Amino acid sequence: MQRIKTFFADLSQKAGLADEILRLSPHRRAADKPFQLGDVQEQNEVYLDLATGADFSKGGLTGTMVMIFFYMAVLVSPLLGRPDQVDNYLTFFGVLFGIALITFLIEVLLPFPMPMRFNRRTREIYFQDRRRLYHVPWDEAVAWMQQTRQVTQYTGATRMTFLQVLLQRFRQPDEVIALQLSLPMGKTPEIQGMLWEYLRCYMEKGPWFDEHGEPLATSNRDEVLARRRGKKADLKGVWKLYTDGLRKGIETKMSVALFMLWNVLMYPAFLVQDWTADVARRRAEKNQWDKRVRERCRPDGPTTRLYDLEVEEGLHRDEADIPETTTR
């Protein structure tokens, strides 16, 4: 892991000239309590998946097409009352929904944006970009927050807080990447620190814990995944969100009515998008993850880390052989 530490030292020396970098530790609290704004895609006793931003748009094209075709079919449905138009009606919309089916298959078969995976059994972090597999032992993970301020004539001053972690490519340890744990827009250091604390509680205290980070004896998986942002067809959740805003004075009755009308009209698209993304995600879980990762994510799988395999192959020199890089 010396290459990762050297990479971070060089990075902080350069970036730290303009902005402050705050390093986070897997073994030290980063916030008063854990919290995540729907970033968790899956959480169980063995691993936790943190979704990428690209995951939220999967299935959008298929959902939009199906919604348009559905409303078109409803609008011209009076033609079904004319016997001479029934065949034309069925043929036309059969072709349209055939196009939607092809779009669905394309979106499902195309590579799915893989999540970042935190494995409790092996205490390791994984990420896969197509066939390139990256990893880092949790105990040696190097993560940091960096707050920046961007000013433009269009939006004025915008603050962003980056939360990143370094990983190295499997069997090619000289290739190191910095991966975003959460989108930086609209995030404060407090919010990003709470996300890191959530991940830390999962890895250090157990798969289930309360809002204060105290371990729970029983699973609260449904409660955790209910906050997932990837789910679009959630009228109940949207209604609760807007009515909460109405009670706090953030929303007006007119805005709530318009937003709910929009969500009701878009519901067919959101429903199909959720279904398409779910099918693509399950297919990716079986076909895209490297075999070594899938094995280690089974409850009865190997407990050796990918890093241990690299050590056995002689890919990591002793840290004493590598000169230490200092940070100024």
Side-chain angles (χ1 to χ4, degrees):
M1 293 297 105
Q2 184 64 33
R3 292 174 179 82
I4 283 183
K5 295 176 182 177
T6 303
F7 184 95
F8 176 75
D10 294 339
L11 177 69
S12 59
Q13 182 175 356
K14 296 175 182 177
L17 296 175
D19 301 285
E20 182 180 357
I21 289 181
L22 177 63
R23 181 167 176 174
L24 302 172
S25 169
H27 308 296
R28 187 175 63 249
R29 290 178 66 95
D32 291 336
K33 61 180 182 179
F35 188 70
Q36 54 91 13
L37 295 173
D39 298 284
V40 173
Q41 177 177 298
E42 177 60 70
Q43 182 173 333
N44 54 49
E45 290 83 355
V46 179
Y47 63 85
L48 179 151
D49 281 349
L50 208 59
T52 62
D55 170 60
F56 301 126
S57 61
K58 192 71 171 181
L61 180 59
T62 302
T64 301
M65 293 181 67
V66 170
M67 180 190 68
I68 293 174
F69 297 160
F70 172 75
Y71 284 129
M72 287 175 61
V74 172
L75 289 175
V76 300
S77 58
L79 292 177
L80 291 174
R82 299 171 54 182
D84 58 327
Q85 295 294 327
V86 173
D87 289 344
N88 293 333
Y89 178 90
L90 296 178
T91 300
F92 178 66
F93 283 101
V95 171
L96 292 182
F97 281 98
I99 295 173
L101 177 60
I102 294 174
T103 305
F104 164 78
L105 293 175
I106 292 174
E107 289 208 271
V108 168
L109 295 176
L110 284 176
F112 190 81
M114 302 301 288
M116 186 184 297
R117 176 162 292 184
F118 295 76
N119 190 324
R120 293 191 69 249
R121 292 183 68 251
T122 62
R123 294 182 65 79
E124 199 163 24
I125 306 173
Y126 310 120
F127 176 71
Q128 187 166 322
D129 180 18
R130 300 297 175 91
R131 294 187 179 277
R132 296 188 293 274
L133 176 61
Y134 298 88
H135 69 103
V136 66
W138 167 254
D139 296 306
E140 302 292 333
V142 175
W144 74 93
M145 289 191 298
Q146 180 183 10
Q147 187 176 33
T148 64
R149 183 171 179 266
Q150 185 177 35
V151 181
T152 70
Q153 68 269 36
Y154 304 107
T155 61
T158 303
R159 290 188 179 276
M160 297 187 293
T161 303
F162 295 87
L163 174 58
Q164 297 176 296
V165 64
L166 294 177
L167 295 91
Q168 64 182 30
R169 189 172 177 181
F170 181 56
R171 286 179 172 159
Q172 297 186 36
D174 288 327
E175 183 178 334
V176 178
I177 63 169
L179 203 62
Q180 294 279 358
L181 289 173
S182 177
L183 295 177
M185 290 77 73
K187 302 291 180 62
T188 64
E190 291 76 17
I191 292 176
Q192 296 288 45
M194 291 165 73
L195 173 59
W196 179 257
E197 182 63 18
Y198 189 97
L199 299 172
R200 200 186 70 84
C201 286
Y202 175 80
M203 297 294 286
E204 296 293 326
K205 297 185 178 182
W208 319 117
F209 45 89
D210 62 19
E211 60 181 5
H212 301 291
E214 296 301 323
L216 296 175
T218 57
S219 169
N220 61 345
R221 179 178 181 274
D222 292 339
E223 178 184 343
V224 170
L225 298 184
R227 292 194 295 267
R228 173 158 165 72
R229 292 177 298 165
K231 187 177 181 182
K232 306 294 190 305
D234 184 14
L235 292 178
K236 183 178 179 181
V238 171
W239 172 255
K240 184 179 185 302
L241 178 66
Y242 289 144
T243 52
D244 286 346
L246 184 62
R247 283 194 297 271
K248 296 176 182 178
I250 302 174
E251 305 284 357
T252 65
K253 291 183 178 180
M254 179 60 71
S255 65
V256 171
L258 291 175
F259 284 136
M260 286 306 302
L261 177 61
W262 168 257
N263 279 276
V264 169
L265 292 174
M266 293 293 294
Y267 188 77
F270 293 154
L271 191 65
V272 173
Q273 181 177 357
D274 284 347
W275 179 62
T276 303
D278 184 59
V279 173
R281 188 178 299 113
R282 284 187 276 111
R283 180 182 179 277
E285 174 67 29
K286 295 179 180 179
N287 299 286
Q288 287 184 221
W289 274 117
D290 187 279
K291 179 183 177 182
R292 301 172 189 85
V293 174
R294 294 200 308 270
E295 290 176 344
R296 284 160 176 77
C297 290
R298 297 198 316 261
D300 60 344
T303 57
T304 54
R305 302 172 299 178
L306 299 184
Y307 176 73
D308 297 328
L309 301 182
E310 291 177 329
V311 171
E312 291 177 1
E313 296 172 5
L315 295 176
H316 294 278
R317 290 183 293 161
D318 188 275
E319 291 190 359
D321 298 333
I322 303 177
E324 187 73 22
T325 301
T326 58
T327 305
R328 291 187 297 176

